Structure formats: structure tokens, C-alpha cells
Amino acid sequence: MGAETRREAGTLDPLSLGGIASERVSPGLADIAHAEPFEPRYELGPYELRTLYRTEAQAKRRKEARPGLWIAVAIYVLFSVSDLLLIPDVAARTIAARFAVGLTALLILEGQLRRRAATGWLDVTCAAAIIFGYVGWLGPAVMSADKESVSYYMVFGTIFMMSANLFFTFRFKISIITSTIILCILYIVNYYMPTTPVYKMVFATFYISCFTFTSYVNWKLNEERYNVFLNALEARIQHKEATERGKALLRLSRTDPLTGLENRRAIDEKLRDYWNDWQKLGAGFVAILIDVDFFKKFNDCYGHQEGDRCLIQVANALSDMIKQYNGSIGRYGGEEFIVLARMEKKDQVADLAEAICRTVENLAIAHELRRDGISIVTASVGAAFTRKQTGAKLEKIIHEADRALYLAKAGGRNCARLFDPTDPQSSDESENLAALLKIAIGQDLVSLVYQPIKDVASGRLEAVEALMRLKMLDGTLVPPSLFIPVAERTGSILELGRWAIRTVCAELLAGDHVRLVSVNVSPIQLKTPGFAASVATILGETGVTGNRLAFEITEGLEMEMHSDILRCISDLKLLGIKIWLDDFGTGFAGLSWLRLIDFDTVKIDRSFLHDCATPNGKAMLQDIIALVRNRGHKILVEGVETEEQMALMREFGIDKVQGFHVGRPVPAANLQAKRAVQRRPFTVLKSA
């Protein structure tokens, strides 16, 4: 195989030669966001473009050589009829010459094609076929006795010129050489023909005119082919760049820009593939949700740049580790990641989940301001894997992993939990409650009861606390300890919270049945944008002033001190709403919250009162009371159930108390019925 053939076989991709599209053909993800509109350009010089054009033209000429020569030979042989009519005395020789030249040319061409000869040799064969076909016809023709017919018959020689210039797509140089040889032969024969000088001059002029015209047309055609090539090349460059840009955009749409991991869209597609394989082939897999512990706290304290670096470090470490399990990892949103891996056994899943926790912990990224005694970044992990009871819905395995993650976070974080269908905390009962909460308001399955809060000094009803109750469709009551965590996990607490505030205002405050109602507010509500505005809307619609409401915020692990919560509390206080700290002493953040927020009332958890049976317990309660009192907050003690406990509260100078001894929770109707009608005192004036 010659050098030309090797070029044809190995370098026909115009976009890979000489950097025609340069680096713009494959834009990176970073380039996509700042990409300018495409402007076609060539980065090759004229010589390189011509070379590339000839390389591409070879493929076209090679493809057209066989049908072109076969058609030309067929027409050439068919002209035997004109030989019989015009020069019958030598027709046998011309016809024999036609067949000999035509068959020889076809045999040579077919042999070259079989041997994969270079395109240049195919061109030479076709050009030689034109020349020898002309000589093979003209040689016997001039021997005819009818010289006049021969002289006119020679006009057909111009057909061979046109064949060289117009019929075949030779390179311009080969076309000129071929047509020039034919022109020379015509002149030689014309010169020796026994005709008049005028005839010779006219025919010579005709020959040169045909030569000039066909050569010019051939040149224009070659230039036009070259322009077509340039336009096609430009279109291919644009198409390839558009294709590559589209691929880059697709990668961008499936890639998390911060960590470089797959984003939620890509993971959802992969999850669907895993699920289909499990449904059709029984190939089990695990879905693992990973949440970076106290990441909002990390972001607020160290800054968003450090937060981004933290996520990148966690993503890289987990990505390297997951490769060992042939799994996939993606960023599922915020500080949450998701892992998918094909696994069948529970032990394998547990090992992977624990390995994820240890991988993050081993990074030892400093997180000094945590409140749980750990000073580095850790992760909570929830895992779920396919099993026969998983059901036919794709979303269920993610819900199970999410429930396991919730239990991991509720269990102290920096741990892994595997979904257990036999665990009441994560069983299908929890999912049933989640479904029930979605319809609870519309089906009147949720209601409020109110527990009295009394002023210790005066003994009068100071306020009531609104407590939520939920019943199932059959009327069975669901304890708040079960449905409140589910409501917080699923987000239903947002709608339930708004409903509770609106109901309190409508049932008691709008009718002036009680002076003050306290409502428990979840940290999730305080973190939700627009919560304070929604409360203001409810107050405006019901005509209730904000100072008639108190929001109880539970101290606990979920109550993270970040700017959103502090800003929301500030907005609520601007509305006049009182802010109470609930269950003080049971969580991690009590002292910090007392320092940051001016609470109107602090509720001391019932456990401290019930421990007063011992001297140490009584001393601890006194210390807590002194601590809160020194901060200037009013004190409410909950869990007062006996007269002895009530007497102790009077002894300690407590402001307000709550408990079964004070009053049990009752519906709003009971409070409305007990509201006495206040009469103004009047004096009868006697007439003088």
C-alpha cells in the first residue's frame, strides 16, 4: 500500500487535522458558562486546506471511478452504430478497437480496486482509457476511403475532451494533460488530412475553442467543488462544535458544579436503571443517604468558602472510597450525598455505611463550635436496600433511606443506621402516618386541646398552651411522640404549624376567651423562609394582635444557632409575639440561647421538679432557677401534679406553673363556656 493510500485510510477526519477546530471543539464545563457565540474559522493555511481538500476528493473520486468508467465504456461501445453508418469500410476495425480498449480498461480498473490501489492510479487508468479510446477509434477511422465522412466524423473527438474535463472528476492537472494530448492528436490528424486550408483552419479553431471552453468549465467546476468543500467543512466544524457543546451542556446538567459529582438528576436516572434491573433481573442494590453533621453551623462560623472546601474534601474522599465497592455517588442537595451500589446482603450494606462514616471522620476537618463534644466534621448515614417487601415504587427505597438517616441524626449523629422494617421508628407505620398527615387537616383528623397555665402569686389563669392531637380514620388517637417526629421529617409540620396558629387565633384569641395562648414551634418552621410573614398574615386576617401569642421553642439538638433562626425570632418579636424557651435543661444549647435571645419566659423541664424528692435534685432545681432569674427571664415550671409541688413553687417564688394539678388539657369549647361575662360596676344616682 502506497503513502497516498495510507493517508486515505488514516487521516480522513478533517476535524482532527491541524487543529481546525482547535480546543473549541471540546469545551470544558467551565467554558460552557462563558462561551461566546460560535464564529466559524479555519486555523489551517491555504496549502493545508488544499491538501485536505485533495485528500477528501480522493475518496469521492475512488467511489465514482467504477460507475464512471463503466458508463463511459458503455457509451463508447454504443458509438459503434455511428461507425457502421459513417465509415462502414473500417467499422469492423473501429468496433474491435472499441471493445478491446473498453474491456482492457475495465479489467485493469477492477484489478486495481481489488488490490486497493491508490486513487491516483485509478485516475491514471481512467485518463488512459480516454486517450487510448480516442486513439483506438481515430486510428482505424482515418483509414476509411470516405475522407469527407472522416473529416466530419473527427468532430466527435471533442467528446473525449469533454470526458476528460467534465465527465470524470479528475484533478485539474490530469484533466488538462489528458485533453491536451487529445488536442495534439486532433491537430496532427487534421494537419495530414487531405482537406483545404480553410477547412483545416476552421477545424483547428473549433478544436482549440472546445479545449479552451471545456478546460475553463473544468477549472470553474474544480473551484466550485473546492468552495463546496469549504462550506461543508465549515458546516461540519459547526456541527461538531455544537455536538460537543451539547455533550458538555448535558454533562453540566448532570454534574454538580461544586464537587464534580453527579447531581440529583443524574443520580435519579441511575437509580431508575438500578431499580429496573432489580425488577427485571433481580439485581439488588443499596441506596445510602449521607448528611454532613451541623454543616449550616460550619458554614455560618467558618464562611461559605470553607464550607465549599469542606464539601469538596468530603466528596473526593467518599468518591475514592465508593470506587472500591463499584458504586456511584452523587450530591443530592446542600450537604447531602447519595450512594448507589449493587449489594445483596445486609452485612455488606452495614459495612459500607460504617465505612462512609469513618471516611468522613478520618478527614479530621476541624469543627470546633459543635455542641456535642466532637470537634471535627462527621456524617450521619441512612441506608436501605432492596428486598421483597420493598414494593413496586421506586421512591420507596429513598424514603426508607431517608427515614434511616433521620434516626441516625436523632440518635446523636456521626453514626449509620440501616432501615429496619420491624423497627416502629422506621417501619411502614411511619409511612402510614406521613400519608395520614397529608390529609389530616382536610379530613378534620387534627385538633387542638389547651392546658391551663396559672400565675402562682394570684392563682388566676395566666395563659393556655395549645397541644396538637391527631386521630386515625377509625378514630384511634396517635400520640404526639409518634406523629410530631414524622411531621418534622416529612415537612408536614409547616402546614400543621400554620393551621395551629390560625386555629388558636380563631378559636380563642379572636373571641377574647383567654389572655394568652402559647404554641409550640418547630425549628424547621423557624428555618423556613417567610415563616414570620405568614404569621403576620394570619394575625391580620383574624384581627389578633401579636402580644396575645407566645411561641415555645424547644431546646434540643436540632435547634442550631444560625442566622436564619435568629433573624426569624427577631421578626416575630417585632410582631409583638412572646418567645418562650421550652424544656430548659434537657438540651445542649440552653445557656447559649439564654445569652443570645431575650426570652420572655423560660419553661423548666418537669424532670427537675420531679427530682426534688432528693436533696441533690432540689438543690439543682434551685440552681437552675437562680441562673434563669439572674438573666431576668420569667420562670414557668411544668409538671406540677401535687399540692406539695405547688407549695414548693410558691416557696421558690416561681412566676407560672403548668401541670395536671393546675389543669388538664381541654377543648376550646370548655374555655369558651367558662369565660364569664364581665359586667361594669355602676352606681344608682338618686334624684335630689
Side-chain angles (χ1 to χ4, degrees):
M1 185 182 295
E4 186 177 3
T5 307
R6 289 195 295 271
R7 286 197 300 272
E8 294 167 18
T11 59
L12 287 181
D13 182 7
L15 299 180
S16 65
L17 293 179
I20 289 178
S22 187
E23 297 167 355
R24 300 176 68 231
V25 175
S26 300
L29 295 179
D31 299 330
I32 295 299
H34 306 289
E36 298 178 355
F38 174 67
E39 296 180 1
R41 62 175 182 174
Y42 305 115
E43 297 184 1
L44 293 179
Y47 175 78
E48 288 83 0
L49 284 173
R50 286 286 180 180
T51 302
L52 184 59
Y53 165 67
R54 287 194 293 269
T55 302
E56 284 207 354
Q58 286 175 358
K60 183 178 181 181
R61 296 203 310 274
R62 189 178 191 86
K63 183 179 179 181
E64 295 177 352
R66 173 181 280 162
L69 188 60
W70 275 89
I71 293 172
V73 168
I75 296 173
Y76 178 63
V77 171
L78 285 175
F79 263 91
S80 299
V81 177
S82 62
D83 294 343
L84 292 172
L85 295 175
L86 296 176
I87 47 174
D89 55 334
V90 293
R93 296 179 184 178
T94 58
I95 293 172
R98 289 178 186 277
F99 276 93
V101 172
L103 291 175
T104 301
L106 291 176
L107 289 173
I108 293 174
L109 181 68
E110 292 298 328
Q112 290 174 329
L113 290 173
R114 185 178 294 274
R115 294 193 305 273
R116 297 183 178 275
T119 305
W121 288 109
L122 302 182
D123 291 342
V124 170
T125 298
C126 293
I130 294 174
I131 295 172
F132 284 102
Y134 177 61
V135 173
W137 160 73
L138 187 59
V142 296
M143 296 178 185
S144 174
D146 189 355
K147 300 299 180 182
E148 185 176 357
S149 295
V150 171
S151 63
Y152 288 107
Y153 201 24
M154 285 177 60
V155 174
F156 286 96
T158 57
I159 294 177
F160 293 90
M161 280 189 193
M162 288 186 286
S163 297
N165 283 316
L166 306 178
F167 185 77
F168 290 95
T169 56
F170 295 145
R171 291 175 57 185
F172 184 67
K173 184 187 296 185
I174 295 179
S175 298
I176 288 296
I177 293 173
T178 304
S179 58
T180 299
I181 292 173
I182 294 172
L183 178 63
C184 293
I185 295 172
L186 275 170
Y187 265 98
I188 293 171
V189 175
N190 184 48
Y191 178 78
Y192 287 104
M193 284 292 293
T195 55
T196 64
V198 175
Y199 174 87
K200 292 180 179 181
M201 183 183 67
V202 171
F203 267 80
T205 304
F206 174 72
Y207 296 152
I208 194 66
S209 298
C210 288
F211 172 79
T212 303
F213 174 74
T214 56
S215 298
Y216 175 76
V217 172
N218 182 28
W219 175 73
K220 293 294 291 183
L221 285 175
N222 272 284
E223 287 300 309
E224 185 62 28
R225 292 187 190 107
Y226 180 64
N227 290 331
V228 170
F229 157 76
L230 292 180
N231 291 332
L233 179 61
E234 179 181 306
R236 288 202 299 274
I237 291 173
Q238 290 181 341
H239 175 71
K240 183 164 185 178
E241 177 159 317
T243 301
E244 292 297 328
R245 186 175 294 238
K247 291 179 180 178
L249 286 171
L250 180 61
R251 289 194 300 271
L252 181 64
S253 69
R254 296 169 54 85
T255 303
D256 175 57
L258 176 64
T259 62
L261 300 178
E262 293 180 305
N263 62 11
R264 185 161 189 161
R265 173 182 176 182
I267 283 293
D268 284 344
E269 292 178 5
K270 189 163 291 186
L271 177 63
R272 194 173 296 110
D273 293 337
Y274 274 56
W275 183 267
N276 291 336
D277 289 344
W278 178 65
Q279 293 285 322
K280 297 176 183 178
L281 308 175
F285 68 95
V286 60
I288 301 176
L289 292 177
I290 307 160
D291 190 86
V292 179
D293 295 331
F294 297 107
F295 183 72
K296 289 184 176 64
K297 182 78 172 175
F298 186 96
N299 242 357
D300 291 341
C301 296
Y302 295 98
H304 291 286
Q305 289 185 343
E306 284 298 323
D308 289 347
R309 274 193 283 269
C310 172
L311 290 179
I312 293 171
Q313 285 181 268
V314 171
N316 291 339
L318 291 179
S319 181
D320 293 339
M321 189 273 292
I322 295 302
K323 289 177 182 176
Q324 304 172 16
Y325 294 85
N326 296 321
S328 302
I329 182 171
R331 189 179 179 197
Y332 219 48
E335 67 273 20
E336 192 171 72
F337 300 90
I338 183 171
V339 169
L340 301 175
R342 299 194 185 280
M343 290 184 174
E344 298 286 348
K345 298 180 180 179
K346 184 177 180 180
D347 293 342
Q348 293 176 316
V349 178
D351 290 343
L352 175 56
E354 286 295 334
I356 290 171
C357 281
R358 301 291 76 80
T359 298
V360 177
E361 188 175 18
N362 291 339
L363 290 173
I365 302 172
H367 193 349
E368 299 290 345
L369 299 182
R370 289 176 58 155
R371 306 183 310 276
D372 56 357
I374 301 176
S375 58
I376 59 174
V377 169
T378 59
S380 300
V381 177
F385 66 101
T386 51
R387 61 189 195 286
K388 292 182 180 179
Q389 296 84 1
T390 301
K393 290 185 177 181
L394 169 65
E395 297 79 8
K396 185 160 186 176
I397 192 169
I398 298 298
H399 291 163
E400 292 176 350
D402 186 56
R403 281 144 66 182
L405 175 62
Y406 181 83
L407 292 178
K409 294 169 71 174
R413 310 198 188 204
N414 189 27
C415 61
R417 291 289 183 271
L418 180 61
F419 177 79
D420 184 359
T422 63
D423 186 349
Q425 293 283 348
S426 60
S427 65
D428 288 342
E429 183 64 28
S430 175
E431 187 171 346
N432 293 337
L433 283 177
L436 186 68
L437 289 170
K438 291 181 179 179
I439 64 171
I441 296 176
Q443 297 289 331
D444 292 328
L445 301 177
V446 64
S447 60
L448 293 177
V449 293
Y450 302 91
Q451 186 171 20
I453 298 173
K454 285 189 176 181
D455 181 88
V456 175
S458 64
R460 70 178 181 181
L461 183 67
E462 179 76 11
V464 295
E465 179 183 2
L467 302 171
M468 191 174 294
R469 297 291 183 259
L470 175 70
K471 62 182 179 181
M472 304 188 76
L473 293 173
D474 61 359
T476 304
L477 290 176
V478 182
S481 59
L482 287 182
F483 75 81
I484 293 297
V486 175
E488 290 182 330
R489 175 172 58 82
T490 60
S492 299
I493 194 68
L494 299 176
E495 185 178 2
L496 290 172
R498 287 191 294 268
W499 173 86
I501 296 170
R502 187 182 299 276
T503 302
V504 162
C505 292
E507 285 186 341
L508 295 182
L509 297 180
D512 200 26
H513 298 292
V514 294
R515 294 177 56 195
L516 180 72
V517 179
S518 70
V519 181
N520 288 279
V521 174
S522 167
I524 296 175
Q525 294 171 268
L526 296 176
K527 295 176 187 177
T528 303
F531 174 69
S534 67
V535 173
T537 301
I538 294 173
L539 294 175
E541 291 175 351
T542 57
V544 174
T545 58
N547 60 3
R548 306 282 303 284
L549 268 179
F551 284 168
E552 296 191 22
I553 302 171
T554 302
E555 175 202 357
L557 197 62
E558 290 295 326
M559 195 63 181
E560 300 178 19
M561 288 183 292
H562 56 73
S563 57
D564 291 342
I565 289 182
L566 296 176
R567 189 181 303 111
C568 182
I569 291 175
S570 176
D571 292 342
L572 292 172
K573 290 181 76 68
L574 288 175
L575 294 174
I577 296 173
K578 296 174 172 54
I579 304 298
W580 293 5
L581 179 61
D582 194 13
D583 295 335
F584 178 72
T586 60
F588 296 92
L591 296 179
S592 298
W593 280 110
L594 288 178
R595 179 174 56 85
L596 289 173
I597 300 174
D598 183 21
F599 289 102
D600 297 280
T601 298
V602 174
K603 293 180 70 172
I604 298 177
D605 187 69
R606 68 183 65 237
S607 60
F608 295 100
L609 174 60
H610 293 171
D611 286 344
C612 282
T614 65
N616 288 339
K618 185 175 182 180
M620 179 172 287
L621 178 59
Q622 287 178 304
D623 291 340
I624 293 175
I625 292 172
L627 174 66
V628 176
R629 187 166 286 149
N630 289 338
R631 295 295 303 173
H633 307 297
K634 288 187 177 181
I635 300 174
L636 186 156
V637 177
E638 55 186 358
V640 177
E641 298 177 355
T642 64
E643 179 57 36
E644 290 76 9
Q645 291 173 340
M646 188 68 187
L648 187 63
M649 296 298 97
R650 295 190 188 98
E651 177 186 341
F652 288 167
I654 300 301
D655 300 298
K656 291 173 279 191
V657 291
Q658 181 181 5
F660 289 164
H661 182 72
V662 176
R664 292 180 177 272
V666 296
N670 292 30
L671 296 173
Q672 295 167 355
K674 290 180 181 180
R675 179 68 173 175
V677 178
Q678 295 184 352
R679 300 178 180 272
R680 293 184 178 181
F682 64 94
T683 302
V684 178
L685 299 178
K686 296 181 180 179
S687 58

